[in-house]
Amino acid sequence: MPYPSYFESFDVQQALADYPLGDAFLETYAGMSRDALRELQNQRFLKLMARGWQIPFYQRLWGEAGIEPGDIRSLDDIEKLPVFSKSDIMQSVEQFPPIGDFSGLEGLAPEQRPPVVFHTTSGTTGRPQPIIFGPRGREIQAMLVARAYRFMGLKPGATVQSTYGHGMINGGHYIREAVTRYTNAMFLSAGTGLETRSAQQVQLMRDFGVNVLVGFADYIKKLASVAREQGMTPGEDLQIDMIIGHLGQETRAALSEAWGGVKLYDWYGVADTGCIAAEGPDQNGLYVWEDAHYLELLDVDSGQPVAAGDSGNMVVTCLYKDDIYPVIRFNTCDITAEIPGENPFGLPFKRIRGFLGRSDNMVKLRGINVYPHGIGDMLAELDSFTGEYVCIAERDDAGRETMTVLVEFGAAVDEHPAIAARCADLLKRKLGIEVGVEPVAAGATAKWTEIDRRQKPLRLIDRRFD
């Protein structure tokens, strides 16, 4: 029985028109009013909701909250819908193994099933989550990444080396799809240090004239040290023009300096949603792709919208994913804050500060919420801080929670006897609470962060529940 192939199952040119990139992106959205953008979002939201009501997962989630189809008439009603998170998806997988009942593939005969792309999450916070993409959603996801790279200033004919992982993990694959299909760059899918040894990675950079690095900042920074060990000087022997990665709140200055003063560009997204926001050439916050996503910032405790400028959980509705696995009010558990004010491009899109930490990795110390992923940025002003650290949370016999931060320094620790006190004072001032500090030599935290093996180094070792 005939069935459509991948690119026959949707209109690629229409998708590019709906979610433009390059010059067409600015031509479409520069000068657009917020009201016009809201109307576009509303049209896409209503189509998304119609698809959502066909999915057993949403029928159950919304039905248990007392929601009926007629209750959601526009985007103005979105707050009536319950949020969901990875735990709800994993519960669906347990109840309906092996892929859950959230994709929309349930009950379809093989000959009726559309082409799909199957991946999983990295499993950073637990068992890997299955993620399924339909062709249209998958390609728009790739287009949004390419939009980000081109908006940042990716040069024509660039040579891009990716340190994103492959295998079952989604990241490296869809970055490759974005670059090879929607830019004219040459793409080297080097992967992680486990897939291509670090020494070989820097050799690839020199042999093929790589001028753009993409991936997670921690490993890219390590590669600069590996290059020097191999007798290559970043900025001279390796001419990198830009680094595009998930920069978090670690010290950008140290990463840029490690690669000879290169410009850095941040972007944000998760496996379920694709690229949500990206830094522009002005490098003043991350522009939310609001034609493709409706982003809410909700208080971690109350679930209510936060005041302008305050930080909150990013709750995302993917307005373009109306084929396979619609995403409607997904709580990423990632923290950010909106940046107020106008932007130099006249875009109607909001801007956010980027990734500020995870609410599910939060440590509450004497009433203060501490986000381990934000510690690195706080320590950036310290001399010879390598950018590497790890937080160890523990609970004493009385139930009191404590946290000790192991901080790496490039210079010999014993040459700076006051460094521990200075670190402790700095963190107390910025966190509003006292934490323990233990200065260590460069490389000493690797056994905890697992930076040599993981795309995303661990920043919290949680012993509170051992």
Side-chain angles (χ1 to χ4, degrees), residues 59-120:
Q59 293 170 359
R60 184 172 62 255
L61 179 69
W62 296 340
E64 290 174 355
I67 304 296
E68 298 180 358
D71 295 336
I72 309 300
R73 300 182 179 181
S74 74
L75 195 53
D76 295 335
D77 296 323
I78 194 171
E79 292 181 15
K80 296 178 181 178
L81 296 170
V83 301
F84 74 98
S85 63
K86 179 177 178 178
S87 62
D88 298 294
I89 291 295
M90 296 309 295
Q91 184 178 11
S92 169
V93 172
E94 291 178 7
Q95 291 178 331
F96 305 95
I99 62 172
D101 66 344
F102 53 85
S103 66
L105 296 176
E106 303 79 11
L108 292 179
E111 63 273 12
Q112 296 176 320
R113 184 165 164 168
V116 297
V117 176
F118 179 80
H119 286 293
T120 70

Side-chain angles (χ1 to χ4, degrees), residues 224-346:
S225 299
V226 174
R228 291 187 176 87
E229 292 169 3
Q230 299 296 312
M232 300 178 227
T233 302
E236 296 178 11
D237 303 301
L238 303 174
Q239 295 284 346
I240 305 298
D241 296 330
M242 64 193 306
I243 292 173
I244 307 172
H246 304 280
L247 304 180
Q249 292 300 299
E250 62 278 316
T251 168
R252 292 175 64 135
L255 177 58
S256 175
E257 182 180 351
W259 280 98
V262 65
K263 278 199 170 184
L264 312 178
Y265 295 89
D266 192 11
W267 69 280
Y268 172 78
V270 295
D272 304 81
T273 67
C275 179
I276 294 171
E279 205 165 12
D282 56 322
Q283 296 194 300
N284 184 17
L286 279 63
Y287 291 81
V288 180
W289 301 147
E290 290 193 272
D291 58 333
H293 299 282
Y294 184 76
L295 179 64
E296 303 170 79
L297 299 185
L298 304 185
D299 183 81
V300 172
D301 297 317
S302 70
Q304 297 300 308
V306 300
D310 288 349
S311 61
N313 272 330
M314 285 186 268
V315 174
V316 184
T317 296
C318 295
L319 300 172
Y320 68 94
K321 287 190 67 176
D322 53 22
D323 53 355
I324 301 298
Y325 182 24
V327 174
I328 304 170
R329 296 204 90 196
F330 175 69
N331 185 359
T332 66
C333 294
D334 288 342
I335 303 293
T336 195
E338 184 179 346
I339 298 175
E342 302 296 325
N343 64 79
F345 306 100

Side-chain angles (χ1 to χ4, degrees), residues 163-243:
T163 65
Y164 288 107
H166 294 85
M168 289 306 299
I169 299 172
N170 176 46
H173 296 280
Y174 94 85
I175 300 301
R176 172 181 50 79
E177 293 161 12
V179 173
T180 57
R181 292 175 185 168
Y182 302 108
T183 79
N184 74 340
M186 183 166 72
F187 188 79
L188 281 64
S189 52
T192 66
L194 291 176
E195 294 169 309
T196 305
R197 292 180 302 106
S198 298
Q200 187 179 353
Q201 294 235 14
V202 297
Q203 189 65 46
L204 284 170
M205 294 177 205
R206 182 164 68 177
D207 290 349
F208 292 96
V210 170
N211 62 324
V212 179
L213 293 177
V214 301
F216 288 94
D218 306 87
Y219 183 62
I220 291 176
K221 184 178 179 183
K222 177 185 175 179
L223 287 176
S225 299
V226 174
R228 291 187 176 87
E229 292 169 3
Q230 299 296 312
M232 300 178 227
T233 302
E236 296 178 11
D237 303 301
L238 303 174
Q239 295 284 346
I240 305 298
D241 296 330
M242 64 193 306
I243 292 173

